[in-house]
Amino acid sequence: MEGILNFDAPLDVNLLDRVVNVVYNTQNEQERNQAQKVLERFKSHDGAWTRVDTILEHSQSDYTKFFATQVLDSLIKTRWKVLPADQRSGIKNYAVSLVLKLTKDPQTFKKHATLISRIDVAIVQILKVDWPHHWKNFIPEIVEASKQNENVCSNCMTILGMLSEEIFDFSEGKMTRSKIKELKETLTEEFYPIFQLCLFVMNASKNGNLLLTTLDTLDKYLSWIPIGYIFETDIVKLLITKFLSVREFRNSTLKCLTQIASLEVPGAAVSQKFESLYLGTLQRVVQILPPNTDMQLTYRREKEPEQNFINDLALFLSAFFVKHRSCLEKNEHIPALLTGHQYLVNISTVDEIEVFKVCVEYWNSLAESLYEENPVQASALMLNSATTTPRRQLYGPLLSRVRTILISRMAKPEEVLVVEDEDGEHAIRQRLPDGEAVERYQLMQSTLVYLTHLNYEDTESIMLSKLAAQRDGSQWSWHNLNTLCWAIGSIAESLPEHIERKFVVVVIKDLLILCRERTGKDNKAIVASNIMYVVGQYPRFLKAHWRFLVTVLLKLFEFMHELHPGVQDMAVDTILKIVTKCKSQFGKEQNGDETWTTKEVIGKLPSHISDLSEEPQVQTFYEGVGVLVSAHPPRLQGKLVVKLMELPNNTWRGLMQRAAQNTNNLADPAVQRSFANILRVNNRACMGVGPAYIHQFANIYLDALNLCKFYSEQISKQISQNSQATGWVNVKQMRAVKREVLRLVTTFISCSDEVQTIVKDFLPPLLPAVLQDYSRSVPQARDHEVLRLMAEIVSTCKGLVVDSVPIMFDCLFESTLSMITKNFEDFPDIRVNFYLFLRQINNHCFQAFVRMNPQQFKLVIQSVVWGFKHWDKKISETTLKILLEMFTQFSRNAQSDPSKSFYGNHLLPLLEDILFVLTDTFHKADFKLHCEVLIQIIYAVEADLVTTPLFNPQTQTDSNMNNRLFLRQYVSKLLLRPFGNVNPEHIHNFVLGLFDLNKEMVQFHNHLRDFLVQIKQYSAGDDNAVMYEREEAASRSAKAMAIPGMVQPHDPRRGDGRQLTTSRSDSGNSSSMMTA
C-alpha cells in the first residue's frame, strides 16, 4: 500500500485504486484502518495535488476520482495562495478543460455527473480566491464556453448558480468582509452577460434539462441583482407567460417568482410592477389550480411534483403578501387579494406539516400586523379588545376560517402526557416530549392569541360550538377533543376578563359532564387529561373564583386515583401549577368557607396519595401541598409543616431505630430505597414550603448527615476493594441516599432566609463531615453534589463564609483537579460543579482569592485556563465568565498589590491561552466571550491599569519601550509562529486593529472574524450565529410579554411565579455534560 507514498516515482494508479477499494469494500477492519492511514498520509503530502491530473485521467474507480477531488479541494482551501502563479494557472486551466471535456458529450456528461459536480465545486473555490484580480475574464470566458453546446451550457449555468450562492448566501465566516464586498460588487457589475445568456436560453432553447438548470440558476440571482434587470426587461413576462403554465417548469418558475416577490423596493412605480407580477401570476395559477380546489384531497391524491407546486404556491403567496400586501389593499385589487388569501386558507388544510407551517407563519404575520394597528396593553382593563378597523373588516371572514382551521389542527403542548397511539385506538402516556410539536404549538398559540385579540367573539363562538359538538357526539373523537382543548388552553388571558369568566365556566362544566358521560377507560383518560390542561392554563380565572378553584382541585384529587397511564402525572403536575399560581388565595379567609383548608388536605394526605403508582408523583404532590403551607402566615406554617411531614417522619424514625439497633440494617436494599425516597419527598416539600421548612429540617438534619457519612464510608470501602463496584446495585443505592442528603441540604440553604442561623447552627457540623469525607474518598466515590452544595453555601451566605473558603479549598480543590485534568471527558458532573463553585467564590467571596498565596492562586488561574479549553460549552462559558469577572474585580483597585501581582504574573499567559482557543476549531461558540476577555486584557494595558512592566527592563534595548508597545509586539510574535501561511503584513495590520477597535465591540468582532478567515480556521458555513441567539431571544421575549395571553400563565418569563418542577423531572439538580 505504501508504494503510493513514493513521490519520487511515477504514481501507480492501479495500486491507488486497490488501496481506495480496501477502504470502501473490505470486511477486514485492520486492513481498512491501514488503508485509511495511508490515504491520509498521501493527502497531507505537499506534492499530493501534483498527482490529481494523473488520477483523474487514468483511474478506473469513481471512489479514487472522488479522493482526487478531495485532495484538490484541500489544496485550494488551505495552500492555494502560497503556490506560484504558474502552478495556480496550470491547475485552473486543467480543471476547466477537464470539465469542458466531460460535458461535451451527453453520455459522458451523464456517466461522470458526480465527478463533474466535484470539479465544479473546485472551480468555484478557486474563483472565490482568484477572481477578479487573477481571473479577470472569467465571466466572458464562461459565457463564451456556454455557446459550445447545450450540455456545456447547462454545466456553466450550474457553476454560475453555485458562485452566486457562495458569494451572497454562504460567504459569511468563510471570506473576509472586504473580499465579500469586492466579489459582490464585481458579480453585480459583470452580471449583464450572465443575464443575457439566461434570456437567450429561455427564449431559444427547447432542451428541458437546460431550461430547468437556467431557471434554477436565475432563482439564485434574483434575490440580489439590480431591480432594473427584473422590471425593465421582459424576464417577469417571460416567466409568467412562457414557463408558469408548463407542468415541467412551473415549480422552478414559481420559485423564481417567489424570489422576486420577496424583494422590498420602495416607490410607487415599482409597486405597480409588483401588482402586475401578482395579478399575472394569479391569473395563470387560477387556470392550473382553481381557488375552490379541495387542497387537502388534492395533496393526498397527487404525486410529488403537484405536491411541490402547492407548497411553492404557499411560499409565493406568503412571501408576496408579507412584503407587498398593502399595495393590493385598494378597491380595484381587493378581489385578487382575497383570492390569494383564499388559496392560503385552503392550503392550510393540507396534512403535510411543512406546508401547514408555511401557512401558519403567514397567518401569524398578518394577524400581528392587524393587531399592531390597535394593540391591547397588558395592564389595561380589558373590557373590549376587538376594536374594528377597515383592514380588520377586510380580512375578517377569511380569518374566521383560519381560526377554525387552527383550532381543529392545534399542536400538542408539552404539558399534555396522555395522547393517542399511532393507530388512534388507545390512549397512552407519552414518555418523551415531541420537540417539533412543541415548536409548532408555540407558533400556533402565538397566532391564535393575535386572532383572539382581533375578534374574541368569533374565537369564543367557534370553540363553544365545537365543544357542543363534542357533547352531543356529532363530532366526537379523541383528536377533535384534544385539538379543541389545546386551543382553548393556548388563548388563556387573551380574552377580556369578563368574557373569559363566562367562557371558562362553560368549558370546564361541559368537560366535567363529558367526563361523566363518556364510558371506557381510554375515553375518560383523554377527557381527564384535557380537563387538567385547560384548568391549569387559567389561573387568573381560578384566583377570582374560590369555589370553582376548590371544585377543580377536588376533581384533580379524584384524578390522582385514576390508574390510566399519564393521568396521575398530569393530576399532580396540574395541582402544583394551580396552587403555585393561586397561592395568595389559600392564605385568605374565604367568607367563612370551610369546604377547603390546608389542614384538611394535609389530614387526608395518606388517602390522596394512596393510589399514586410512582414515587415522583408523591414527591410532586408534597411540593404542591408545601406551596399551600407557604401561603399561610409564618406563625401557622411551623405546625402545618410538622403535620405535612408526619407520614415520612414516622417511616424515618422507624428506619433510624432499626439502624441504631443494628447498622447491618442499613445494608438492606429496601431500607436504602426508603431513605432515598423520604429524602426526595423532603427535598420537594422544602421547595414548596420555603423558609418555614426549617421546622422540619432541624428534626432530621443530624441523622441525615450521619447517614450520608456512613454510606460514603461504605461506598469508598467497596470501590477501593474493587474498582468495578461503582456499577453494583447496592453501591448505586447507597450513592443515591448520600446524594439525596446533599441535595436536601442544598435546597434548604437556597430556600432559607435565615442566613445567620445557617452559618451559626448548620454549617459547623456540615463542613467537616462533608469536606473531609470528599477529600478522603477515592475519586470514583466522590459526588458532584458536594461541589454544588459548597457553591450554594457561598452564593447564599456570601461574605459570612469567606473565612471558611480556605477550608473548602483545602479539601476540594486539588483533589478535584487531579480528577478532571487528565482529559476532557471523565467525571463530567464533577467538572461542571467544580467551576460553578469557583465562580461563586469569585463573585461573593473574592477576598478569599486575594488572600491566597501566589502558588495557590496560580493554580486557580491554571484551572480556569483548563476550563475554557474544554469542548463542553457549559464549562468553557462558565470559566470565561469567571475570567471576565476576575478582571472586573481586580480593575476596581488596580494599584493594589494583589492587582499588580495578577497583571504582572498572569496577563501575558492568559493572553496567549485566549488566542489559542480563539484560533482553534473547537471553541467557536465562545467567540463573543473570547472577544470580551481579549478586550479586557487590551483595556487593562491601554488604560494604564497595568503599571508593572510586562517586559524585562534589564534586557530591553529600546528606551521608548512601554507596556502598550510591548503588548503589540508580543501579540504579533505569538501569531507569526503558528500561522506562517499568513502574510506578516496582515498580522501586523490585524494587531493594530485589535488595539484601535477595542472600544467598539461590533467592529472588534468583525476584525477578529476576518483574521480567523485568513488563517483558514473557520469551517464552511459557520457564521457564529450562536453568539447572538440570547440577545435575539430576549428581544422576542420582551415583545411577547407586552401582548396579553402571548406568554402562557406558567411561563417562567412572566416572573410572577416560581419555576415548576414536575413529577417527570429528575429529583435532583445535577448537571450533565456533553463530551466530545
Side-chain angles (χ1 to χ4, degrees):
M1 289 187 185
E2 297 196 356
I4 64 172
L5 301 176
N6 183 3
F7 284 83
D8 294 328
L11 176 65
D12 186 342
V13 178
N14 291 329
L15 176 59
L16 178 61
D17 282 345
R18 291 197 294 274
V19 175
V20 173
N21 184 63
V22 169
V23 171
Y24 285 98
N25 296 316
T26 186
Q27 300 297 318
N28 188 316
E29 186 174 351
Q30 184 176 357
E31 287 186 6
R32 185 189 301 112
N33 292 337
Q34 182 183 357
Q36 185 69 51
K37 290 178 181 178
V38 170
L39 290 179
E40 289 296 331
R41 289 171 61 191
F42 181 93
K43 189 191 294 187
S44 62
H45 194 280
D46 288 344
W49 64 271
T50 63
R51 306 297 179 96
V52 170
D53 57 341
T54 303
I55 298 170
L56 294 178
E57 292 289 340
H58 300 290
S59 174
Q60 302 302 311
S61 167
D62 288 338
Y63 291 132
T64 307
K65 291 178 180 179
F66 182 80
F67 172 73
T69 60
Q70 286 182 314
V71 173
L72 183 59
D73 189 56
S74 176
L75 169 74
I76 296 168
K77 286 184 176 180
T78 60
R79 300 182 58 242
W80 185 255
K81 286 188 174 182
V82 300
L83 291 178
D86 59 332
Q87 291 183 356
R88 294 205 306 268
S89 178
I91 295 171
K92 190 162 48 183
N93 293 336
Y94 173 74
V96 172
S97 62
L98 179 61
V99 165
L100 291 175
K101 174 183 173 183
L102 294 175
T103 55
K104 281 184 179 179
D105 178 67
Q107 297 301 321
T108 307
F109 188 14
K110 185 175 181 180
K111 179 181 178 181
H112 297 288
T114 302
L115 176 61
I116 291 170
S117 67
R118 292 290 302 174
I119 301 298
D120 288 346
V121 170
I123 290 173
V124 173
Q125 294 299 328
I126 293 172
L127 281 168
K128 286 162 60 179
V129 182
D130 278 9
W131 187 61
H133 300 294
H134 302 294
W135 201 346
K136 294 181 180 179
N137 297 322
F138 164 71
I139 297 296
E141 287 174 5
I142 195 169
V143 170
E144 186 64 29
S146 300
K147 299 176 183 178
Q148 295 185 22
N149 64 47
E150 291 186 326
N151 293 320
V152 174
C153 183
S154 179
N155 192 62
C156 289
M157 285 290 184
T158 300
I159 292 173
L160 289 169
M162 291 167 59
L163 180 63
S164 175
E165 285 183 318
E166 286 292 323
I167 294 175
F168 283 88
D169 299 331
F170 308 137
S171 57
E172 188 71 32
K174 293 197 287 186
M175 292 185 282
T176 64
R177 287 170 299 117
S178 58
K179 182 65 175 178
I180 294 171
K181 183 173 182 288
E182 180 184 45
L183 290 181
K184 285 182 177 180
E185 290 174 350
T186 305
L187 191 55
T188 302
E189 290 170 3
E190 300 189 19
F191 177 68
Y192 181 72
I194 299 174
F195 185 73
Q196 288 296 102
L197 176 64
C198 292
L199 279 181
F200 174 77
V201 172
M202 292 168 69
N203 280 303
S205 177
K206 299 186 183 303
N207 185 314
N209 289 333
L210 174 57
L211 286 169
L212 276 175
T213 304
T214 303
L215 288 170
D216 290 342
T217 300
L218 190 61
D219 173 39
K220 296 176 176 66
Y221 279 81
L222 285 169
S223 63
W224 59 264
I225 61 175
I227 198 70
Y229 283 111
I230 298 172
F231 288 129
E232 295 177 15
T233 66
D234 292 333
I235 189 71
V236 173
K237 181 180 178 181
L238 195 60
L239 287 169
I240 295 174
T241 58
K242 182 174 181 178
F243 293 101
L244 184 55
S245 299
V246 181
R247 185 174 183 275
E248 183 182 2
F249 305 125
R250 66 189 186 194
N251 289 353
S252 295
T253 303
L254 206 48
K255 285 184 172 68
C256 291
L257 293 171
T258 302
Q259 288 288 2
I260 299 173
S262 301
L263 299 173
E264 194 168 10
V265 185
V270 179
S271 293
Q272 293 178 358
K273 299 287 187 181
F274 278 112
E275 291 171 19
S276 301
L277 164 72
Y278 173 77
L279 295 172
T281 303
L282 186 65
Q283 183 181 2
R284 296 287 172 166
V285 169
V286 168
Q287 297 170 4
I288 299 168
L289 192 70
N292 59 352
T293 303
D294 185 336
M295 295 295 181
Q296 185 180 38
L297 181 61
T298 302
Y299 195 91
R300 288 177 184 169
R301 188 177 56 201
E302 295 293 345
K303 296 180 180 178
E304 186 176 355
E306 286 71 26
Q307 292 177 343
N308 289 340
F309 179 76
I310 293 174
N311 182 53
D312 291 336
L313 178 59
L315 290 169
F316 167 77
L317 291 171
S318 59
F320 187 91
F321 291 148
V322 166
K323 298 292 186 181
H324 311 290
R325 185 172 51 228
S326 59
C327 71
L328 297 174
E329 292 173 345
K330 307 171 184 175
N331 291 334
E332 67 270 24
H333 295 320
I334 284 178
L337 173 69
L338 295 179
T339 300
H341 280 82
Q342 186 64 48
Y343 271 111
L344 281 175
V345 170
N346 292 340
I347 295 173
S348 298
T349 64
V350 170
D351 294 329
E352 174 60 40
I353 294 298
E354 292 305 315
V355 177
F356 178 63
K357 281 177 64 178
V358 171
C359 297
V360 177
E361 285 169 357
Y362 173 69
W363 297 128
N364 186 275
S365 168
L366 174 61
E368 182 183 10
S369 73
L370 294 173
Y371 172 83
E372 292 295 340
E373 289 184 342
N374 187 22
V376 177
Q377 298 301 320
S379 58
L381 181 61
M382 295 168 54
L383 296 178
N384 189 348
S385 64
T387 304
T388 301
T389 66
R391 291 183 68 235
R392 292 184 182 185
Q393 287 181 325
L394 173 64
Y395 294 105
L398 284 167
L399 294 183
S400 182
R401 285 198 60 197
V402 173
R403 290 185 188 94
T404 303
I405 292 169
L406 293 185
I407 291 168
S408 65
R409 300 194 62 179
M410 193 67 191
K412 187 185 79 66
E414 191 172 3
E415 300 97 316
V416 175
L417 302 181
V418 181
V419 296
E420 296 177 69
D421 64 9
E422 292 182 357
D423 301 322
E425 296 179 357
H426 300 286
I428 60 172
R429 174 183 175 179
Q430 186 180 51
R431 295 285 176 179
L432 296 173
D434 182 348
E436 194 277 332
V438 171
E439 180 183 349
R440 194 165 71 254
Y441 170 81
Q442 292 169 348
L443 174 63
M444 296 179 72
Q445 183 261 340
S446 167
T447 309
L448 262 183
V449 167
Y450 281 130
L451 292 173
T452 301
H453 283 302
L454 296 178
N455 190 338
Y456 62 77
E457 293 100 335
D458 188 52
T459 303
E460 180 191 20
S461 174
I462 294 169
M463 289 179 171
L464 291 181
S465 65
K466 283 182 171 290
L467 185 57
Q470 293 297 304
R471 281 280 315 276
D472 64 29
S474 59
Q475 294 182 17
W476 163 256
S477 75
W478 293 349
H479 175 268
N480 289 343
L481 181 64
N482 283 339
T483 53
L484 172 60
C485 291
W486 299 341
I488 290 172
S490 73
I491 63 166
E493 299 190 11
S494 57
L495 291 168
E497 196 164 351
H498 67 290
I499 299 294
E500 182 182 90
R501 180 168 61 249
K502 298 175 184 178
F503 175 67
V504 175
V505 168
V506 173
V507 169
I508 296 178
K509 283 185 175 179
D510 280 0
L511 288 175
L512 290 172
I513 293 171
L514 198 60
C515 188
R516 234 178 12 249
E517 292 177 346
R518 286 291 159 184
T519 59
K521 184 179 178 181
D522 286 344
N523 285 335
K524 287 188 176 295
I526 291 290
V527 177
S529 72
N530 283 305
I531 291 173
M532 290 184 284
Y533 174 66
V534 170
V535 298
Q537 293 299 103
Y538 285 89
R540 182 177 70 175
F541 165 79
L542 296 176
K543 280 194 286 188
H545 300 85
W546 170 254
R547 295 301 299 273
F548 219 100
L549 171 60
V550 171
T551 301
V552 165
L553 288 172
L554 292 175
K555 193 64 182 178
L556 291 172
F557 288 163
E558 289 182 26
F559 289 150
M560 287 171 61
H561 299 280
E562 171 59 56
L563 301 181
H564 194 285
V567 173
Q568 292 178 331
D569 289 287
M570 282 197 69
V572 294
D573 289 351
T574 306
I575 289 170
L576 178 57
K577 285 169 62 175
I578 290 175
V579 298
T580 300
K581 280 293 179 179
C582 303
K583 174 180 170 181
S584 59
Q585 303 304 305
F586 296 103
K588 295 178 180 178
E589 291 289 336
Q590 299 293 342
N591 297 323
D593 186 355
E594 297 294 334
T595 58
W596 172 281
T597 64
T598 303
K599 185 176 180 181
E600 182 186 6
V601 173
I602 294 174
K604 294 181 179 179
L605 190 143
S607 172
H608 290 319
I609 66 174
S610 60
D611 288 326
L612 294 180
S613 56
E614 298 179 12
E615 291 177 356
Q617 297 165 355
V618 177
Q619 296 155 18
T620 301
F621 186 69
Y622 265 91
E623 183 178 354
V625 181
V627 175
L628 291 179
V629 171
S630 69
H632 293 273
R635 59 187 173 78
L636 301 177
Q637 291 180 14
K639 292 181 180 179
L640 290 172
V641 170
V642 172
K643 186 67 176 174
L644 170 64
M645 303 309 297
E646 193 174 80
L647 190 61
N649 281 349
N650 290 338
T651 307
W652 177 273
R653 281 192 293 270
L655 294 173
M656 295 306 296
Q657 287 171 5
R658 289 178 58 190
Q661 294 167 4
N662 187 348
T663 55
N664 290 334
N665 288 323
L666 294 175
D668 184 347
V671 170
Q672 294 166 358
R673 283 193 296 271
S674 295
F675 271 129
N677 185 45
I678 293 170
L679 289 164
R680 292 186 186 111
V681 167
N682 273 271
N683 193 13
R684 296 296 292 276
C686 180
M687 292 179 185
V689 172
Y693 180 77
I694 193 171
H695 298 284
Q696 162 67 6
F697 190 68
N699 291 333
I700 65 169
Y701 179 55
L702 293 179
D703 283 344
L705 279 187
N706 290 331
L707 203 61
C708 180
K709 182 178 179 182
F710 173 82
Y711 279 129
S712 184
E713 290 172 353
Q714 295 301 310
I715 294 166
S716 290
K717 181 179 178 181
Q718 294 200 32
I719 293 177
S720 62
Q721 292 173 355
N722 188 332
S723 61
Q724 302 300 317
T726 52
W728 295 354
V729 174
N730 68 319
V731 172
K732 287 183 177 180
Q733 289 183 340
M734 289 191 291
R735 294 192 78 159
V737 177
K738 173 186 174 182
R739 189 166 294 166
E740 293 306 328
V741 172
L742 295 169
R743 286 174 176 167
L744 175 59
V745 179
T746 304
T747 302
F748 166 71
I749 291 173
S750 68
C751 294
S752 178
D753 58 3
E754 299 184 30
V755 179
Q756 295 283 357
T757 302
I758 291 174
V759 175
K760 179 182 176 184
D761 298 332
F762 291 102
L763 293 190
L766 174 71
L767 293 181
V770 173
L771 294 174
Q772 291 174 17
D773 171 76
Y774 184 93
S775 180
R776 288 195 299 259
S777 297
V778 295
Q780 292 81 359
R782 290 175 184 151
D783 202 293
H784 66 273
E785 290 293 339
V786 173
L787 293 163
R788 197 169 76 88
L789 171 58
M790 295 303 128
E792 186 59 51
I793 289 171
V794 173
S795 175
T796 301
C797 302
K798 299 181 172 59
L800 295 176
V801 293
V802 70
D803 292 333
S804 299
V805 170
I807 302 172
M808 297 179 187
F809 251 77
D810 289 342
C811 296
L812 300 179
F813 192 71
E814 293 192 28
S815 56
T816 304
L817 274 185
S818 65
M819 296 167 61
I820 67 173
T821 51
K822 295 176 182 177
N823 53 52
F824 289 146
E825 291 86 25
D826 295 343
F827 310 107
D829 291 332
I830 290 278
R831 293 171 189 271
V832 170
N833 286 283
F834 172 73
Y835 288 112
L836 175 64
F837 170 61
L838 285 187
R839 190 177 183 199
Q840 297 304 332
I841 295 175
N842 195 46
N843 287 336
H844 303 295
C845 293
F846 185 70
Q847 283 303 310
F849 282 157
V850 172
R851 295 172 188 174
M852 285 181 177
N853 63 58
Q855 194 58 36
Q856 241 186 338
F857 185 69
K858 181 180 179 181
L859 206 55
V860 171
I861 295 294
Q862 289 174 343
S863 69
V864 171
V865 171
W866 178 252
F868 66 64
K869 289 182 179 179
H870 271 67
W871 302 326
D872 181 271
K873 188 176 185 299
K874 188 170 186 178
I875 296 174
S876 59
E877 187 177 277
T878 299
T879 47
L880 287 167
K881 288 178 179 177
I882 290 173
L883 199 54
L884 282 169
E885 291 154 0
M886 196 174 281
F887 269 103
T888 301
Q889 296 275 19
F890 281 117
S891 67
R892 288 172 181 163
N893 191 3
Q895 302 311 313
S896 66
D897 290 339
S899 296
K900 290 179 179 179
S901 175
F902 171 73
Y903 291 133
N905 295 327
H906 304 295
L907 190 135
L908 292 182
L910 284 172
L911 172 63
E912 186 169 353
D913 287 315
I914 284 294
L915 288 174
F916 172 81
V917 293
L918 184 64
T919 55
D920 71 16
T921 57
F922 303 112
H923 300 88
K924 299 172 192 174
D926 293 322
F927 175 79
K928 184 177 179 181
L929 287 171
H930 294 154
C931 290
E932 290 181 22
V933 173
L934 202 52
I935 284 175
Q936 286 281 2
I937 293 173
I938 294 172
Y939 173 78
V941 173
E942 293 290 289
D944 293 327
L945 298 181
V946 184
T947 54
T948 304
L950 297 173
F951 50 92
N952 187 345
Q954 297 178 351
T955 60
Q956 186 55 243
T957 56
D958 187 351
S959 59
N960 296 320
M961 181 59 67
N962 55 43
N963 282 340
R964 296 182 181 184
L965 179 60
F966 175 79
L967 194 63
R968 287 167 167 77
Q969 295 179 357
Y970 184 79
V971 173
S972 296
K973 291 177 182 177
L974 279 180
L975 295 174
L976 279 170
R977 286 201 302 268
F979 304 121
N981 60 320
V982 181
N983 189 313
E985 185 180 350
H986 289 164
I987 288 181
H988 175 72
N989 292 334
F990 165 68
V991 173
L992 291 180
L994 282 182
F995 287 83
D996 291 341
L997 301 172
N998 69 86
K999 294 180 182 178
E1000 297 291 336
M1001 183 65 76
V1002 174
Q1003 293 183 40
F1004 192 83
H1005 285 182
N1006 291 334
H1007 185 66
L1008 265 172
R1009 279 200 203 95
D1010 283 353
F1011 180 70
L1012 294 172
V1013 169
Q1014 288 179 320
I1015 62 175
K1016 304 298 181 186
Q1017 289 293 336
Y1018 271 22
S1019 59
D1022 186 353
D1023 62 355
N1024 291 289
V1026 69
M1027 299 187 316
Y1028 302 104
E1029 287 177 358
R1030 292 181 182 176
E1031 289 84 343
E1032 292 170 0
S1035 175
R1036 292 194 299 269
S1037 179
K1039 181 178 180 180
M1041 287 293 292
I1043 303 171
M1046 190 61 72
V1047 178
Q1048 294 281 275
H1050 306 287
D1051 194 309
R1053 289 177 293 172
R1054 292 176 72 96
D1056 55 355
R1058 39 198 286 284
Q1059 180 77 42
L1060 300 181
T1061 308
T1062 69
S1063 62
R1064 290 167 286 158
S1065 303
D1066 181 71
S1067 56
N1069 297 305
S1070 60
S1071 303
S1072 62
M1073 168 182 168
M1074 184 185 298
T1075 54

